[in-house]
Amino acid sequence: MGSCPCSRLVNAGVTIHALTLDLSTAIRLAAGIAVALVVGKPIGIILAATIGIKLGWCALPPGVDMRRFSVVGLLGGVGFTMSLFVCNLAFANELLATAKLAVLIGSTLAAIGGLFMGRSILNSARAG
């Protein structure tokens, strides 16, 4: 169970036949959600941590710098449970399936971005 990518869509409640047929609306909705997960969440996480550190409310653990913490920020876009919950509250029609699919795509892109950023930071740390 769960080995097929289609089962992930079903578990998230995405039904392909329910996707909106209005292409311009679907593209704007999907792009907005994906950009929010890939760009917005990491910026918010990194900015909040930076402000907390600058104000002395918190500190990074030993051996962790802001470059390494930025990987955590990028991976923050992977969390899609609350995004799916908000989609259920915000949409009640065919836009719901489109929004859910966009959340899964955005989360996947955030995971890929975090993976590549993490690999580049680890490779530069090994080289230096």
Side-chain angles (χ1 to χ4, degrees), residues 18 90-98:
F91 304 107
N93 52 20
E94 69 273 358
L95 295 177
L96 178 59
T98 303

Side-chain angles (χ1 to χ4, degrees), residues 23-106:
L23 190 59
S24 66
T25 301
I27 289 173
R28 287 194 321 257
L29 177 65
I33 291 171
V35 168
L37 289 171
V38 175
V39 178
K41 281 180 81 173
I43 286 174
I45 291 168
I46 294 167
L47 187 62
T50 302
I51 291 170
I53 291 167
K54 296 286 184 196
L55 293 175
W57 295 344
C58 58
L60 291 173
V64 177
D65 58 1
M66 281 309 289
R67 277 185 33 190
R68 289 187 172 135
F69 184 79
S70 65
V71 175
V72 174
L74 284 172
L75 292 174
V78 173
F80 58 86
T81 306
M82 190 53 111
S83 298
L84 291 175
F85 175 72
V86 171
C87 285
N88 282 320
L89 295 176
F91 304 107
N93 52 20
E94 69 273 358
L95 295 177
L96 178 59
T98 303
K100 285 182 176 183
L101 184 60
V103 166
L104 296 175
I105 291 169

